[in-house]
Amino acid sequence: MRIRPAGAPDSGLLLRVLLEAYNWNGEERFTAAELAADPYAARYLDGWPRPGDFGVVAEDDDGEPVGAAWARTLTADAPGHGFVAPDVPELTIGVLPGHRGRGTGRALLEALVRAAAARPGPVARLSLSVEDGNPAVRLYVALGFTAVGRDGGSDTMVLEL
């Protein structure tokens, strides 16, 4: 597996990964068309990459993308599900089916944290939202994310860098 920076050509992959993140439980709760019409989902992708956006892509040994993680800052007027503050990038992460359970998510998240720490500024915190029952919460906790809020059936988690 190889991890590389995400760029503008990866926008289609990021949409696939976002769909997997929304459908984390293996059920098709959302379609690509529904995500495209959802203003919250659109905030994670519209205009990718905007200034300040950063992300990483995992590829298999054949160079095929198998997952991605990215972060962008959002505003209080147009927040994401894991919005904390305008200076805290919210991350999205997902691994495509057939490639899960192999450490790809951990590798992506660790690479994204390194990218955040290397940014001009640098980034001091990252946030995310995780629904109840999502097994990925174990990874987030293991890497140091802590719950800072609750919205319906989801926790907002933050990692201090």
Side-chain angles (χ1 to χ4, degrees), residues 106 134-143:
R106 177 179 286 272
N134 187 331
V137 73
R138 292 189 302 272
L139 172 62
Y140 305 146
V141 170
L143 293 179

